[in-house]
Amino acid sequence: MTFTAASEGMVNAFVPKHMAGELHTRKRVQMFIVSQMFGPIIATPIPLFLWFADPHPWPHVAILAASIYGFWSFPALLKLFPRAYMPLAMASVANLSFAVLWGSYNYGGAISPFLVWLVLMPLLVLMYLGSTWTARVFVLAQITLCLATLYGVYLYADLPVHIPLKDMVLAGVLSALGVNLCVFVLAAYSSSLAQRQSELIKEIDRQQSTLKTLTIARDDARRANGAKSVFLARMSHELQTPLNAVLGYAEILLDQATLDGRGEQIADLQRIDAAGRHLLAMVSDILDISKIEGGKMALHIEPVDLHKLLDGIEETARPMAAKNANGLVVERGTDLGMIHVDATKLRQTVLNLLSNAAKFTRNGMITLAVNRLGSWIEIAVADTGIGMSREQQQALFSNFPLASSKTASVNGGAGLGLALSQKLCRVMGGGIEFDSQEGKGSRFIIRLPVQAEQIDPLVTEMSLASQQERDGDKLLTDAEDDVPYDQNARNADTGNRAEQDKRERLLVVDDDRNFLELAERLLIRQNYIPICSDAPQSALQIARTVKPTAIFLDTLMPGFDGWDVLAALKADPMTADTPVFMIAIRAERSKALAAGADGIVVKPLDAAKVKAALAAFKSTRRRPRALTA
């Protein structure tokens, strides 16, 4: 190890860079350089002995010494010509052959003590060139040439006698000692390299084991994240179903209380409605965050008129600001024009920031400023509210980072809005920056590209079997007769059949009978004719028979879900032109449009959402879509 440590730096200095990367190649080059450096030193006693023992050493001893010390030139030549390693290695072996032949010719012939150096030739060639056919042929050629030359000289020429054989004993001892010493040095260096290689291999094995462990942990985390996403999606649906009932019945009771003038009940019912909608918003936010973290959030990129988008945002935000006696100022830059983004997610993000500003500002001013900066759009929301401390700013975009328990109890909120807004902006290729001073207010800046990158949504293609349409007429009758009607609506329906024929028919398909009962009562109040069914396999036949104005499908149903029904409706010529709206969460909007739906209606279902969906469809008159099922 001491020898290796002392020589390693010098040896590596001569290794070509292109040969240092591969382990075995570098090892062969290192062995070549070591033999060239230390071989002449080990062989030095031989020319010294001959110089003093030979009465007339010139020029044959000088030629032998030049051949021996010529090995020192090979590392330098390799440094100058790094691509010529193989020719230099062969030239080095040829030089060894010459030195052995020249020494044997002048001192002893076929019984020369210098012939023992030929033992090194196969070892050196295999070390330099590896066990290739080129190396094997080269070794055999060198040995054959040496022996043939000696034999030819023995047959056809007289060998000179510079030193009697009886005086060559010391030369034989020096040769045998030199050969063994060369083998020892090469073996020691090779052993040290092998030991280092073994340590490296062990380290690689440890790294691979760690990588395997990390890979397993990553896969487990992905599976857990997938299970979490599935759980949240199902729980979202299960929570939205009872919430839909709470909000629906609250709306019915609120309408009735308003008609009867029961002021105390109106206030209570408004609180119930507000609490239910707040809980519903939390469920939606948690599901959106889960989808983003799981890489399943898709964008629905579409052309958006910024002025129209701001009009809608301003209309929604002014009542929020007014609750705490705040003023709202909207500053619009010049030439805002059209941008290509997910309008729903951008609106959601801006309203989240405005809602936070309204909650944490009292008797102050909120400013919404929008500017177009080249290929980017900048939307800034500033307020004169309570601001944030440095500690609060550090965890601002994490989940549930409410300013403090005191502000949470006073202003409400779950702390998800900013985290979700930042994640939504990043999905759209931008981000949110902020600046805040405690006691003076905050300023949040949304920066998004004018042309957001399109993420292809998951397109689901399914079909229904023919037996799904059996007993369609009977189930149609059941759907119209089984659900209890409001008595006043029933009397009005039987008393004026002509007026009924003018009312719009709406087909609602959901596996939850409680939801269907509530939906029917709400739609009847708005002068619609609801046709409700909890049998999705019969939806196609019902739609063929009654020809509804629009169809509303729940996405999650046992057996055949809403996506299956949608595919069947769009594949049938009789129902392909009927507008279909999926009762789904916001994140499934892109999937619904890609599958052929005309839009989505987010639970809880109410008359206002139905009217808005139908009005939007009528205004667009089925504009062409980029993606169809």
Side-chain angles (χ1 to χ4, degrees), residues 32-51 59-75 91-104 106-107 112-117 120 124 128 171 174-175 178-179 182:
F32 170 75
I33 295 172
V34 167
S35 63
Q36 307 306 303
M37 288 181 172
F38 295 97
I41 298 174
I42 294 173
T44 294
I46 294 176
L48 289 177
F49 166 79
L50 294 177
W51 184 265
H60 41 277
V61 175
I63 294 174
L64 178 61
S67 176
I68 292 174
Y69 296 115
F71 286 105
W72 281 341
S73 66
F74 286 98
S92 173
V93 175
N95 185 50
L96 175 62
S97 300
F98 171 78
V100 172
L101 287 175
W102 183 255
S104 299
N106 288 281
Y107 300 100
S112 172
F114 302 133
L115 288 176
V116 69
W117 287 91
L120 288 178
L124 294 178
Y128 297 167
L174 292 175
S175 293
V179 170
C182 280

Side-chain angles (χ1 to χ4, degrees), residues 243 246-247 270-282 604:
L243 278 173
V246 170
L247 294 174
Q270 287 176 338
R271 293 188 184 95
I272 293 173
D273 183 77
R277 294 187 184 278
H278 176 65
L279 180 56
L280 185 64
M282 286 181 56

Side-chain angles (χ1 to χ4, degrees), residues 104-109 153 157-163:
S104 299
Y105 171 74
N106 288 281
Y107 300 100
V153 171
D158 294 330
L159 297 175
V161 180
H162 299 288
I163 300 176

Side-chain angles (χ1 to χ4, degrees), residues 525-573:
R525 282 178 169 273
Q526 298 299 323
N527 206 28
Y528 292 108
I529 300 178
I531 302 170
C532 302
S533 174
D534 63 351
Q537 67 272 20
S538 303
L540 179 60
Q541 184 63 30
I542 297 173
R544 282 177 170 180
T545 304
V546 302
K547 296 180 176 57
T549 304
I551 302 172
F552 294 85
L553 298 174
D554 188 29
T555 55
L556 296 177
M557 292 182 287
F560 299 104
D561 60 18
W563 307 110
D564 298 320
V565 178
L566 175 62
L569 290 169
K570 293 304 177 182
D572 192 297

